[in-house]
Amino acid sequence: MALKMTVEEFQEQEESTADGWRNMWENGQLDQSAEKVQAQLVQFHGLLLAAQRTNRIFVPMCGKTKDLLWLAGKGATVVGTEFAAYACESFFKDNNVPFDVVDLDGVNGKAYFSTDDKLNITIYQCDHYLLTSSMVGFTFDGVWDRGSFNSVPTKDRNKYVNHMKTLLTSTATMLVVVVEYEIISQSDERHNIPSAEECLLSAFAPSANIEKIDRSITEWQGDDNQKRLIISTNWVNYTMCSTISGHVSHITEITILLHWLQIQAL
């Protein structure tokens, strides 16, 4: 079942800002987006993690998703970006992972990193687009994106892809999960809003071989009078927030595997 939204709701989503997401984190509106490891990651992690790889995995716009912990438990070196300091700190505290914090050199932000030798996790709390491979110290051979691409306004998606390419090895793979949506109208107004899958293909096709590997139905429970995150993204995982009334609903998610083309290792 596609997520239904009006043209106005889609446009409101397109105007979302980093400050808006930060406020939702601080107000507790997004906490439930991080309650469990995402099923698609568990099912398809073998496409990201392999014995012949360094298993350095990037989780863009990660919020406080438990996916970070799950990947690190598999032996991966995990790096996330997240603008909201609340989400960064909450991830470590909620999961009882000891951590330290340092200021970033030359960038407005901080690095939160695990001090547990068995869990190699770092979250860069800064503008996502300011992250560089020199800041991290290496390039990534895998990316887990459940909701990050969905959360990026349409006008910025080429910027998102081009920035991603600067962070990856020449043989990187990327798992992307997007939510299907259906634009509805109470009138006969026409619109040229592309589908989520069309947006993804348009942004990534020039840079990667694309393979659709799954189409699944996700069930979620709503609470009365509470705004809930509909898709994981910016799992974080953000697509949009909607008011619902204590009932179970379903959304359709598409999982895409990307094999990047002609990326020069830095």
Side-chain angles (χ1 to χ4, degrees), residues 45-56:
H45 71 275
L47 300 173
L48 291 179
L49 305 178
Q52 66 271 27
R53 288 173 171 261
T54 61
N55 291 329
R56 293 167 174 166

Side-chain angles (χ1 to χ4, degrees), residues 3 22 75 85 89 104 126 129 151 165 171 182 219:
L3 175 65
R22 179 174 59 191
E89 185 171 334
L104 295 177
C126 64
Y129 297 105
S151 74
K165 289 192 290 187
T171 58
E182 176 185 350
E219 180 180 284

Side-chain angles (χ1 to χ4, degrees), residues 10-250:
F10 182 87
Q11 291 172 341
E12 182 179 350
Q13 175 186 318
E14 290 283 281
E15 296 169 0
S16 297
T17 64
D19 285 337
W21 292 118
R22 179 174 59 191
N23 290 337
M24 283 191 287
W25 275 116
E26 292 175 353
N27 292 333
Q29 292 174 260
L30 305 182
D31 283 346
Q32 295 191 40
S33 67
E35 287 183 345
K36 61 182 180 180
V37 177
Q38 302 304 326
Q40 295 96 330
L41 176 60
V42 175
Q43 183 175 0
F44 298 113
H45 71 275
L47 300 173
L48 291 179
L49 305 178
Q52 66 271 27
R53 288 173 171 261
T54 61
N55 291 329
R56 293 167 174 166
I57 306 299
F58 182 41
V59 185
M61 306 180 191
C62 61
K64 60 175 187 176
T65 175
K66 288 187 180 294
D67 297 351
L68 301 169
L69 188 65
W70 193 87
L71 284 164
K74 292 290 183 181
T77 297
V78 185
V79 173
T81 51
E82 172 52 48
F83 185 73
Y86 167 85
C88 299
E89 185 171 334
S90 294
F91 166 78
F92 290 99
K93 290 183 175 179
D94 291 353
N95 293 292
N96 297 313
V97 177
F99 69 101
D100 205 347
V101 185
V102 296
D103 291 327
L104 295 177
D105 187 16
V107 173
N108 183 21
K110 300 179 183 295
Y112 292 71
F113 59 93
S114 167
T115 55
D116 184 334
D117 292 340
K118 296 181 180 179
L119 297 172
N120 195 335
I121 305 171
T122 303
I123 303 177
Y124 288 89
Q125 184 261 311
C126 64
D127 182 330
H128 168 77
Y129 297 105
L130 296 181
L131 188 75
T132 64
S133 58
S134 59
M135 185 187 304
V136 177
F138 50 79
T139 49
F140 300 98
D141 51 18
V143 181
W144 168 239
D145 178 333
R146 187 184 184 277
S148 178
F149 179 81
N150 261 136
S151 74
V152 175
T154 303
K155 64 181 177 62
D156 292 333
R157 285 177 174 171
N158 285 336
K159 175 183 177 182
Y160 178 84
V161 173
N162 288 331
H163 174 254
M164 187 69 69
K165 289 192 290 187
T166 69
L167 302 174
L168 305 179
T169 67
S170 60
T171 58
T173 57
M174 181 172 180
L175 278 175
V176 186
V177 178
V178 295
V179 166
E180 286 188 332
Y181 53 78
E182 176 185 350
I183 303 299
I184 57 176
S185 173
Q186 296 179 353
S187 66
D188 293 329
E189 65 176 330
R190 300 177 63 86
H191 66 83
N192 60 354
I193 299 174
S195 69
E197 186 174 355
E198 288 171 339
C199 286
L200 190 147
L201 294 175
S202 174
F204 286 102
S207 303
N209 289 325
I210 300 174
E211 178 185 355
K212 186 193 297 185
I213 59 176
D214 185 56
R215 185 174 185 270
S216 58
I217 305 296
T218 299
E219 180 180 284
W220 51 279
Q221 176 71 46
D223 300 324
D224 290 345
N225 302 318
Q226 182 181 6
K227 286 194 171 183
R228 288 283 305 281
L229 194 62
I230 290 197
I231 146 177
S232 104
T233 190
N234 188 324
W235 85 4
V236 296
N237 315 325
Y238 316 133
T239 295
M240 63 175 288
C241 290
S242 176
T243 302
I244 51 185
S245 300
H247 62 276
V248 174
S249 186
H250 301 81

